Every structure is written in C-alpha cells, then in structure tokens.
Amino acid sequence: MYYEISGQGPSFCFQHGLSANAAQSKGTIGNLTDLQLVVAEAPGHGKSPLASDQTASFDFFSEGWLQLMDQLDIQKSIFGGISMGSGIAINLALRAPERIRALILIRPAWLDAGKPESLTILADAAPYLKQANGQANFQARPDFQAIQQAVPKAADSILGIFGQHQRPELDQVLIDMVADQPFASMQDLEKIDCPCLIIGNDSDPLHPVFMAEAIHKKIPNSQYELVHSKYLDQNQHQQEVSNLVKKFIQQL
C-alpha cells in the first residue's frame, strides 16, 4: 500500500473512505501535532494497485495494515478511519486487539451485514464507470436524482467515483466492498475494550447516523459525538471533528 508518514510521537494510523485517498485522510486529521501520523491508500485507491488475483474486502485491507505496521515497526497504534476506514478499524480491533491502542470511527457506514441500503447506489454506479457516457447515464437514475435533490453535496461526493484520478479497478472494488461486512455480528463489538471515539452526523444519506449510534451502544465505554453534517457545512464539520479527535487523543 502507498503510505505517508509525518510528525513524531505516538503512532496514529488513519484510513480513508471508499473511493477516496490519502488527501481525504490528511484533510480530516492532518493538522494534529505530537503524533506520528501514518496515512495509507487501500488497494484499488490512489497510488495503491489491486492485482487482478486479489479481492477487495475488510479482511484483506486489514491484513494489509498489519503488514504495513510490521514493516514500519509499529507495535501498537491509535487507529482511525472514515466510513470504510471505520470498518477497517473495527476489523483490526477484533482481529489483532493487541495492536490497537484506541479507535476513532468517523461516519461509519457498515454494520454486521453486507450491502447496506445506504451504499447500494455506489455498487449500482460501478457498471457506469467504464461506459462512454457513464456519468451522464448514472446521473439520470431516479435514485441519484433523489439524493441530488435532498442533499446536493452528497450527490457531488458520489460523483467523485468518476474522477480521472480513480484507478481502473475501482468498479470492482465498489461492488466487492459494498457487498462485504467488517465484522460478523453486532455482539462481536462487545469484545472491543480499548478507548473508542465514534463520530456521526445527520443529513448524510451515505452514512446514516443510526449506524454510529448502534456501534456506540455495543462497544463498552465508547464515546459518541454528533457533529454538523459534512454535506451541509464542510468547514464546520471538519472543525468539530478535528476538535473532538484532538481532545480524545489528549485524554488517552
């Protein structure tokens, strides 16, 4: 996986969301100080290729992070992520709890089942990525138009999958990741005993707030915070998230 390291101090590994890249990670938590920040791009995203014989999944991405942590000699780390990154963080905390010092879950988008209704539009968009007029055809879909009318900036975010920066394997990554699940059952979350900050926002058709609330109810002693919607005021959202993450880490 392509990765970047900055700063010095306790390790903080952070994972972007589905179809995003390291720029999203750095834009969310890149202003933190007194930490060794490690951001990586999941295979099939950014500068990280996904080989034809590999399948995107939460298990596969989590295993990649464990290998990267071994390579960088990181024995234990705070681990955070946005959306898909939150699912990878939970997967890691259950797979290798001894490697996770604390969790920061921002706008989680999966629970214990694949194909969450809120993300099916991303899987449905995948076949359009390699069509000649794919974006225009996709934008004509009634389900996309409904999101565009209700939350225009969420619709803009979805259209990011058509960006020229995206990798050619993204279509299959979208299908496979939306179909996957980060953990087997909600009861598994009760095994997580490290400090955990969970951040949700409303007015977000891709990251329903009930998912953050449901995860909070199952992880013992977790802290739940509701922030302003990214799709209504991105600057306010980012400032609130940054302040909460800073305070949480300072209290560890």
Side-chain angles (χ1 to χ4, degrees):
M1 294 192 298
Y2 171 82
Y3 66 91
E4 298 179 15
I5 301 180
S6 60
Q8 294 183 340
S11 174
F12 181 22
C13 298
F14 197 87
Q15 177 67 74
H16 59 72
L18 181 61
S19 82
N21 53 36
Q24 183 192 55
S25 299
K26 292 184 291 185
T28 302
I29 40 80
N31 62 344
L32 298 176
T33 58
D34 301 320
L35 290 167
Q36 180 194 60
L37 178 62
V38 182
V39 298
E41 295 180 330
H45 297 76
K47 298 181 179 68
S48 296
L50 181 72
S52 59
D53 61 345
Q54 296 173 330
T55 300
S57 71
F58 285 101
D59 287 347
F60 179 66
F61 290 167
S62 295
E63 185 59 34
W65 265 105
L66 289 175
Q67 293 176 12
L68 179 59
M69 291 170 70
D70 288 344
Q71 176 184 334
L72 300 176
D73 196 26
I74 298 173
Q75 298 305 311
K76 197 165 188 175
S77 178
I78 304 166
F79 200 100
I82 301 170
S83 186
M84 178 187 75
S86 292
I88 293 171
I90 293 173
N91 187 294
L92 273 170
L94 294 171
R95 174 188 296 263
E98 73 282 357
R99 307 296 297 271
I100 305 300
R101 180 184 171 200
L103 289 177
I104 297 174
L105 312 178
I106 302 174
R107 296 188 297 143
W110 279 261
L111 295 178
D112 58 346
K115 297 184 178 179
E117 183 178 354
S118 53
L119 296 180
T120 55
I121 191 167
L122 295 178
D124 290 345
Y128 294 88
L129 293 182
K130 293 179 179 177
Q131 293 181 6
N133 298 310
Q135 181 171 337
N137 293 335
F138 174 70
Q139 288 180 261
R141 289 173 57 108
D143 52 356
F144 176 81
Q145 291 181 353
I147 293 176
Q148 190 172 45
Q149 182 175 4
V151 190
K153 290 187 178 179
D156 292 342
S157 176
I158 293 171
L159 293 179
I161 64 175
F162 291 94
Q164 293 183 351
H165 63 283
Q166 299 289 7
R167 299 195 62 85
E169 59 266 40
L170 179 63
D171 56 341
Q172 192 61 47
V173 171
L174 291 174
I175 293 171
D176 292 337
M177 289 307 299
V178 171
D180 198 22
Q181 61 194 75
F183 48 92
S185 73
M186 295 299 291
Q187 285 65 41
D188 287 340
L189 299 179
E190 297 173 359
K191 303 173 186 177
I192 297 176
D193 61 0
C194 64
C196 181
L197 171 64
I198 303 167
I199 299 175
N201 68 178
D202 52 14
S203 300
D204 187 336
L206 300 178
H207 310 86
V209 70
F210 77 83
M211 291 192 173
E213 294 170 345
I215 292 171
H216 164 58
K217 290 177 181 178
K218 287 296 184 179
I219 296 181
N221 302 315
S222 59
Q223 173 186 342
Y224 171 68
E225 301 287 348
L226 180 66
V227 300
H228 200 78
S229 173
K230 172 184 178 180
Y231 298 129
L232 297 183
D233 189 328
Q234 184 170 356
N235 289 335
Q236 183 175 345
H237 170 86
Q238 195 153 321
Q239 187 61 55
E240 291 177 3
V241 169
S242 179
N243 290 341
L244 287 168
V245 170
K246 284 180 182 178
K247 183 176 179 181
F248 176 74
I249 292 176
Q250 289 170 354
Q251 294 173 344
L252 293 177

